[in-house]
Amino acid sequence: MYIFCCCFGAWLLAPSSASSARTLSVSLGQSVTLLCEEAANANVSIEWRFKQQEHDQRQSVVVLHDGGVSPGPGFKERVKFVRTENERNYSITLGDVEFNDGGVYECKALHTDHIFSDVRLQVLVPSQVFGVLGQSVSLPCYGNINKQIHSDELHIQWQKDRQDVYKHQNSKTTYGPGFENRVSVSLDRAPHGDLSLTIEEAGLSDQGEYRCIYNIQKENGQPSLVRLNVTALDAPTNHTLIERREKPTGELTSSASSARTLSVSLGQSVTLLCEGAANANVSIEWRFKQQEQDQRQSVVVLHDGGVSPGPGFKERVKFVRTENPRNYGITLDPVEFNDGGVYECKALRTDHIFSDVRLQVLVPSQVFGVLGQSVSLPCYGNINKQIRSDELHIQWQKDGQDVYKHQNSKTTYGPGFENRVSVSLDRAPHGDLSLTIEEAGLSDQGEYRCIYNIQKENGQPPLVRLNVTDEPVPSVIPPPDSSLSGGAVAGIVVGLLLFVPAVIKIITMIIAMRKNQRMPGWRAIFSRDAKANEENDANSRGQNMMVPNGPSVPEPRPVPETRVDVPGTEPDVPEAEPLVPDVQISVLETQPSET
């Protein structure tokens, strides 16, 4: 007994086997299972803990003890222990994942520091893309690709439901089942940071969530997740939009001591100022680096011989023309995703830096609203699950101007948005900071940005572009049942579309036959005995359906008597227009499958 206790104590004080937390990705709103099988032989109470940021205190997720299960704040009714044959499997399933569930989770022995396993959970917010059945569709993805990368160094991977769809590595391209020679990525655009996937002849089976990964380190592209919906009608992007053609330009003056951040939307223009060099009679060079460990690249050099743009910036960079001939600010247009990084304005062939700025390139998520109706702009943030309502700080901006601001329990609105926009303060502690706009108008179109916390952190997605259409967005065809292939479901849809007009045609022919029943050369055929049929015609107020004379036909099955007008028996009445019934096809909506 003594030996057992000593050994158990030594095990209990042993360091964690999980030297570093692995990363697990899950889509917002889905469920995820966190494993803790290392504790299978431990006869102890178990606690799962969680922290969002490195500097945060750990919060209790759930405790399993002799008294039962005790979920922590923010996890009630969403966390369950996994039931397996092993009664000591302490893995948990987290349902309806919220954005601020992202962070590091630890499975540990209760009241000790011993950690059995840990995992970093990354919550991905999918961007919605609509495609048209049978047509090509593009799924956006952007990455910080080195501007001077060689084609044989490119590593690009697209996955759907964790299965490869497209993979390019070591100058070789492979495809997933069902995607052979039907998907592509432009290797000419890749060095510019554009890794978008094109799918030809989109089918119902193509619907789902796609993920883009690049570089050997398997970095996530932006947006991190794309949800493809296939419609039977034109996608929203094909609707007539009344676009605002404003092209916002960002401007910032920065001191050389520390780079401040300037944000710009992908594809727009941005101006970087270098007024600190106004009095310097020297040649000027702008330099750039994407990551902290990268070497600096030349953006552009201004010297006596003229202007010399660097690789990756040709035809996109211009010096700003002002009254001061020694203003060395530059305009970059259009901005590419891998333009993001730190820019320095310096004297050529010296280390003297006049100014620097960190450029952040935002990829807007597209949202479509209908004129006069309400629309929701998505935004999610890592809000502390135990935050008090008076600590909430939420801010929405459009074109740099406040639309909505909630701070110190007080809400203010921007001009034209008074009492027309709202954020659910009940959902905010769950990480949902989405903005609802009532009675959307054409003037509401534009780019919106969501900011939260006193530190003014960007929400996810970092930028939302609202488009207002003058007609409803088409319905999305739900994903096909797993027991049917995409081709089978498409065949059913096409069959129904062909069947409905045929039914209407038959109904119309029957009604026309009824209207022509009194024409000469017609006779009844629904009786075995023609003579008996004639007597029946003379004595009855109606007659059976008539067809034209012709070859004998097989005896039909008995049908219900149809009453018609016979000359000489009743006055003629005006004939009514034939009624063609409305035929509707309803497709039941299905819930998205779990990732």
Side-chain angles (χ1 to χ4, degrees), residues 488-501 585:
V489 176
I492 293 173
V493 173
V494 173
L496 288 173
L497 294 176
L498 295 175
F499 175 71
V500 171
I585 301 176

Side-chain angles (χ1 to χ4, degrees), residues 369-380:
V370 179
L371 191 65
Q373 298 185 18
S374 62
V375 60
S376 179
L377 308 185
C379 178
Y380 301 90

Side-chain angles (χ1 to χ4, degrees), residues 204-205 207 230 475-481 489 587-591:
L204 301 181
S205 61
Q207 294 187 127
V230 178
S475 299
V476 177
I477 299 178
D481 188 274
V489 176
V587 183
L588 298 178
E589 295 184 357
T590 61
Q591 298 295 325

Side-chain angles (χ1 to χ4, degrees), residues 525-546:
I525 64 168
F526 295 112
S527 172
R528 292 174 180 269
D529 192 334
K531 184 176 180 179
N533 187 67
E534 291 174 0
E535 292 176 357
N536 182 63
D537 287 342
N539 297 324
S540 63
R541 295 173 59 87
Q543 65 182 25
N544 293 328
M545 184 180 296
M546 311 295 290

Side-chain angles (χ1 to χ4, degrees), residues 382-588:
N382 275 321
I383 303 294
N384 190 312
K385 293 180 180 293
Q386 300 177 346
I387 195 171
R388 298 193 304 268
S389 58
D390 58 348
E391 296 174 330
L392 283 170
H393 178 94
I394 308 168
Q395 187 175 6
W396 276 89
Q397 293 183 333
K398 177 177 181 282
D399 302 331
Q401 302 297 317
D402 279 352
V403 168
Y404 171 98
K405 188 174 183 179
H406 180 86
Q407 188 175 6
N408 300 327
S409 301
K410 182 180 178 181
T411 302
T412 56
Y413 306 91
F417 292 95
E418 296 87 349
N419 301 318
R420 202 164 64 85
V421 295
S422 61
V423 172
S424 171
L425 300 181
D426 293 332
R427 291 294 306 161
H430 299 274
D432 187 349
L433 313 176
S434 301
L435 180 77
T436 298
I437 302 178
E438 303 292 341
E439 299 179 0
L442 299 180
S443 60
D444 295 329
Q445 293 187 125
E447 291 183 349
Y448 291 74
R449 186 180 176 192
C450 169
I451 307 165
Y452 68 98
N453 289 351
I454 301 298
Q455 296 82 5
K456 294 194 173 183
E457 299 180 53
N458 282 324
Q460 291 295 327
L463 206 63
V464 179
R465 180 175 292 139
L466 173 61
N467 305 286
V468 179
T469 73
D470 55 0
E471 53 187 275
V473 175
S475 299
V476 177
I477 299 178
D481 188 274
S482 59
S483 60
L484 295 176
S485 66
V489 176
I492 293 173
V493 173
V494 173
L496 288 173
L497 294 176
L498 295 175
F499 175 71
V500 171
V503 172
I504 296 175
K505 182 68 175 177
I506 293 172
I507 294 174
T508 306
M509 290 176 61
I510 293 175
I511 294 173
M513 291 166 63
R514 290 176 57 187
K515 292 199 302 180
N516 294 327
Q517 61 193 335
R518 293 188 294 272
M519 294 178 61
W522 292 65
R523 64 189 181 87
I525 64 168
F526 295 112
S527 172
R528 292 174 180 269
D529 192 334
K531 184 176 180 179
N533 187 67
E534 291 174 0
E535 292 176 357
N536 182 63
D537 287 342
N539 297 324
S540 63
R541 295 173 59 87
Q543 65 182 25
N544 293 328
M545 184 180 296
M546 311 295 290
V547 299
N549 286 323
S552 59
V553 296
E555 177 184 342
R557 295 180 181 177
V559 297
E561 182 179 283
T562 304
R563 175 168 178 157
V564 297
D565 295 331
V566 179
T569 59
E570 287 186 355
D572 289 339
V573 294
E575 294 177 355
E577 290 293 325
L579 299 178
V580 180
D582 291 332
V583 180
Q584 297 182 348
I585 301 176
S586 299
V587 183
L588 298 178

Side-chain angles (χ1 to χ4, degrees), residues 49-64:
R49 297 190 307 181
F50 155 81
K51 64 176 180 178
Q52 288 174 318
Q53 307 290 343
E54 200 62 38
H55 54 270
D56 291 347
Q57 288 187 338
R58 293 174 174 84
Q59 307 172 37
S60 179
V61 176
V62 64
V63 175
L64 178 62

